[in-house]
Amino acid sequence: MIEQPDEIGWTPLFHAVAELDGLAAVKALIAAGADVHRKDSGGFTASDWARFEGKADIAAVLDAAMNEAAA
């Protein structure tokens, strides 16, 4: 279920980014194995959405997880 997308390609990780105070949820989803590289139907990652919404703290956590996963 952690990777189950909705009709626009958003997984729980994307929805956590969109929440008012989603940092804790984002961290929990990453720890549970959420795919930080996944893109939605528009080609954007959760990190992209965090930046679009001005959530630099969440974007930084996602970027670190993306870099860690790539290493």
Side-chain angles (χ1 to χ4, degrees), residues 1 3-12 14-15 38 40-41:
M1 281 304 242
E3 292 301 322
Q4 181 65 37
D6 62 14
E7 64 280 351
I8 60 170
W10 277 28
T11 62
F14 286 87
H15 288 284
R38 185 181 187 107
D40 66 9
S41 60

Side-chain angles (χ1 to χ4, degrees), residues 46-69:
S47 179
D48 294 329
W49 280 106
R51 272 195 264 321
F52 296 155
E53 295 187 7
K55 298 178 178 181
D57 55 343
I58 293 176
V61 167
L62 288 164
D63 289 343
M66 290 172 83
N67 290 334
E68 201 172 286

